[in-house]
């Protein structure tokens, strides 16, 4: 049988899914134990018990200096920044994407500008943001917004333009004004696509968050990783990276579920 | 219900002439079928009627007035595809036109009484087109034929004067197409619509229309194709004459605009001349 025709069953699918994760874990722990047998004080590849110990200390014990749980306060700080930045980006992208996608005049005015600004490397703007907005929360949120917004607007405007021309004409023959077309035809059909666009921008958003926290911050997951880096504390860094990955993964799953729940009609439209 | 008049209409894209010298009159309540080979400008003609495209020369008059340069609620349309909104249920699709009309800002009807009145009317129309019981489904759950029925109901709900059909039944199976032809005939009889339909199917054209108009290029040599557009080559009135019946539910047309108010012009089948009105 040809490979293109072999479809794994439910169980096989589960094993296949687990395999790469398992291989990475095996490779890590094999390397870790090899290094630790040579040098019990090796810090590069810590063994599982020392990571568990570190997590216990970071997550479940009160930090004497701040009086709180470090991992929790780091997570809250980071998610706060990420959430407020993505909320700004999402709302702005929805409005501007529909305006640019629906109105040829707005497209002529803003389309090229958005394309150019989406090419500006956001990290290069970080010094400017720090100088202009200070080292507080605003500059970090601004970096994430600048990093994600132009791409989101461009993608979303394109999705609006991809709506069949027939629908826009049909709405007009039903007596719709431009505003009504935007409200009842373009926006409801853009919302599920907005979730797709947002999911794609989650990766860059995390990147900019960690970068901003690494450079100037006093809390947050990125701040912690770069802080303990000085002590070569891999037993903290690795669990933190895993935790960030898990958070990003959960947000992605949540968005996908939300898309399926709120827009039941969308699956068949996308399948076309 | 409207009279349409094409007054020496040309359509050119740059050097390429698509349509030329199109002059014809369509009497109110006519059912016109536009036929012709592919690429002869049938759809272009329909798009001009819709207001999506403007004639390069000449003009199109509806009831004596120049056509608006953009689509409006006087001209309903059903396309072959993408005629209904995938994000709205069947009932919402039909009610949409009413919501556009009655709620300028929110485009939604608030208040149980207002909603119920509109929903009632929409349900009647849905029953009329054979979609009773489907009202809470999304269009993707409907077959192609049902989607086109829905598109018809949606267009008619808004009460257009002219209904434009762009190969609306072209993608349907023969059996389903026959059913929807019966429905189309009934809708044409029961409303005050002037219908213009583009079709590939000659039997459909002759089976439904009051008048079949063929568009064709008079010159078809390769070097002539760009410079000579298609024009009306045949204008056939169906015999025996078909006329829209007036059924009880709708009011009769005002005097002077019905078929009896016109004279047949001898020698040009199907061409009708409006009588001078006082």
């Amino acid at each position: 049988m040809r490979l293109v025709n072999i479809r794994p069953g439910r169980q096989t699918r589960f094993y296949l899914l687990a395999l790469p994760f398992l291989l990475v874990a095996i490779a890590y722990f094999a390397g870790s134990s090899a290094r630790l047998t040579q040098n019990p004080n090796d810090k590069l590849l810590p063994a599982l018990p020392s990571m568990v110990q570190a997590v216990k200390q970071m997550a479940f014990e009160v930090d004497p200096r701040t009086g709180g749980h470090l991992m929790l306060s780091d997570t809250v700080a980071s998610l706060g920044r990420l959430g407020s930045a993505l909320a700004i980006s999402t709302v702005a992208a929805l409005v501007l994407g529909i305006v640019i996608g629906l109105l040829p005049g707005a497209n002529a005015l803003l389309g090229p500008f958005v394309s150019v600004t989406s090419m500006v490397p956001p990290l290069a703007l970080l010094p400017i943001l720090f100088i202009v907005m200070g080292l507080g929360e605003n500059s970090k949120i601004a970096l994430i917004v600048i990093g994600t917004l132009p791409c989101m607007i461009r993608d979303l405007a394109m999705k609006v333009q991809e709506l069949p021309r027939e629908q826009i004409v049909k709405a007009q023959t039903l007596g719709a004004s431009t505003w009504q077309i935007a409200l009842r035809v373009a926006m409801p059909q853009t919302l599920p696509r907005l979730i797709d666009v947002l999911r794609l921008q989650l990766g860059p958003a995390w990147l900019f968050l960690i970068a901003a926290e690494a450079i100037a911050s006093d809390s947050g997951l990125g701040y912690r990783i770069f802080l303990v880096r000085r002590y070569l504390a891999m037993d903290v860094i690795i669990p933190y990276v895993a935790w960030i990955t898990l958070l990003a993964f959960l947000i992605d799953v949540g968005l996908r579920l939300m898309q399926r729940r709120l827009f039941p009609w969308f699956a068949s439209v996308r399948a076309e | 219900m409207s009279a349409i008049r094409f007054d020496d209409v040309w359509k050119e894209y740059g050097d390429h002439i698509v349509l030329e010298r199109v002059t014809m009159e369509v009497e109110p309540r006519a059912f016109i079928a536009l036929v012709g080979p592919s690429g002869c400008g049938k759809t272009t003609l329909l798009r001009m009627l819709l207001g999506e495209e403007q004639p390069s020369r000449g003009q199109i008059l509806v009831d004596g007035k120049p056509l608006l340069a953009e689509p409006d609620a006087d001209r309903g349309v059903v396309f072959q595809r993408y005629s209904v909104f995938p994000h709205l249920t069947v009932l919402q699709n039909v009610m949409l036109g009413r919501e556009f009309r009655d709620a300028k800002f929110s485009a939604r009807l608030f208040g149980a009484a207002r909603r119920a009145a509109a929903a009632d009317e929409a349900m009647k129309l849905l029953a009329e087109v054979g979609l009773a019981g489907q009202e809470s489904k999304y269009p993707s759950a409907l077959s192609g034929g049902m989607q086109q029925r829905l598109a018809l109901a949606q267009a008619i709900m808004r009460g257009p004067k002219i209904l434009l059909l762009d190969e609306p039944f072209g993608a349907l199976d023969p059996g389903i197409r026959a059913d929807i032809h019966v429905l189309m005939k009934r809708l044409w009889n029961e409303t005050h619509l002037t219908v213009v339909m583009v079709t590939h199917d000659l039997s459909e054209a002759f089976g439904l229309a009051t008048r079949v108009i063929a568009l064709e290029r008079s010159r078809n040599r390769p070097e002539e194709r760009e410079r000579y557009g298609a024009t009306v080559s045949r204008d056939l009135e169906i015999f025996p004459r078909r006329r829209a019946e007036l059924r009880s539910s709708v009011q009769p047309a005002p005097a002077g605009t019905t078929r009896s108010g016109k004279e047949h012009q001898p020698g040009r089948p199907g061409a009708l001349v409006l009588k001078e009105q006082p």
Side-chain angles (χ1 to χ4, degrees), chain A residues 46-74:
Chain A
L48 195 58
S50 60
M51 284 197 278
V52 170
Q53 180 56 38
V55 169
K56 212 187 235 170
Q57 197 192 332
M58 299 300 286
F60 302 108
E61 278 168 25
V62 176
D63 178 52
R65 195 170 65 81
T66 60
H69 300 276
L70 281 182
M71 204 162 166
L72 180 69
S73 60
D74 284 342

Side-chain angles (χ1 to χ4, degrees), chain A residues 131-201:
Chain A
I131 292 167
V132 174
M133 307 177 88
L135 298 178
E137 297 298 298
N138 289 348
S139 55
K140 298 181 189 65
I141 292 174
L143 176 71
I144 303 175
V145 171
I146 290 172
T148 53
L149 185 58
C151 293
M152 287 178 81
I153 295 176
R154 209 182 44 177
D155 283 5
L156 216 57
M158 226 138 64
K159 307 260 180 197
V160 174
Q161 280 163 347
E162 278 167 14
L163 290 178
R165 180 76 201 151
E166 284 91 336
Q167 284 189 17
I168 310 292
V169 172
K170 177 85 184 199
Q172 293 177 62
T173 65
L174 296 176
S177 62
T178 301
W179 165 250
Q180 288 175 323
I181 293 173
L183 196 66
R184 291 301 307 275
V185 179
M187 195 180 72
Q189 297 197 70
T190 311
L191 285 175
R193 295 169 171 94
L194 177 66
I195 293 183
D196 281 340
V197 170
L198 182 60
R199 283 178 59 202
L200 280 178
Q201 289 301 320

Side-chain angles (χ1 to χ4, degrees), chain A residues 227-255:
Chain A
L227 184 74
V228 300
R229 176 189 61 101
R230 296 172 196 168
Y231 318 116
L232 222 64
M234 290 293 268
D235 52 344
V236 175
I237 295 178
I238 291 173
Y240 258 63
V241 171
W243 174 236
I244 293 172
T245 311
L246 180 69
L247 284 176
F249 178 72
L250 287 179
I251 296 173
D252 188 63
V253 169
L255 285 173

Side-chain angles (χ1 to χ4, degrees), chain B residues 201-234:
Chain B
D201 180 351
L202 282 180
S203 69
E204 178 174 273
F206 283 93
L208 285 174
T210 57
R211 201 171 144 197
V212 176
I213 290 172
L215 294 174
E216 239 170 322
R217 292 170 186 278
S218 46
R219 312 207 178 198
N220 225 347
R221 296 218 314 261
E223 69 273 21
E224 295 167 340
R225 282 192 72 96
E226 296 267 301
R227 296 304 297 156
Y228 292 89
T231 191
V232 175
S233 67
R234 297 270 193 288

Side-chain angles (χ1 to χ4, degrees), chain A residues 164-177 179-181 183-185 188-189 264-265 268-269 272, chain B residues 50 52 71-73 75 77 79 81-83 85-87 99-100 103-108 138 140 151 154 158:
Chain A
R165 180 76 201 151
E166 284 91 336
Q167 284 189 17
I168 310 292
V169 172
K170 177 85 184 199
Q172 293 177 62
T173 65
L174 296 176
S177 62
W179 165 250
Q180 288 175 323
I181 293 173
L183 196 66
R184 291 301 307 275
V185 179
Q189 297 197 70
W265 51 270
S268 56
V269 172
E272 261 180 25
Chain B
L50 196 53
E52 242 194 309
D72 67 351
R75 287 161 283 165
V77 69
F79 296 106
R81 291 186 69 199
Y82 304 122
S83 268
F85 299 103
H87 62 293
E99 292 177 305
F100 284 149
K104 290 278 175 260
F105 181 74
S106 68
R108 281 171 202 280
Y138 285 104
S140 57
Q154 184 185 41
R158 190 63 171 84

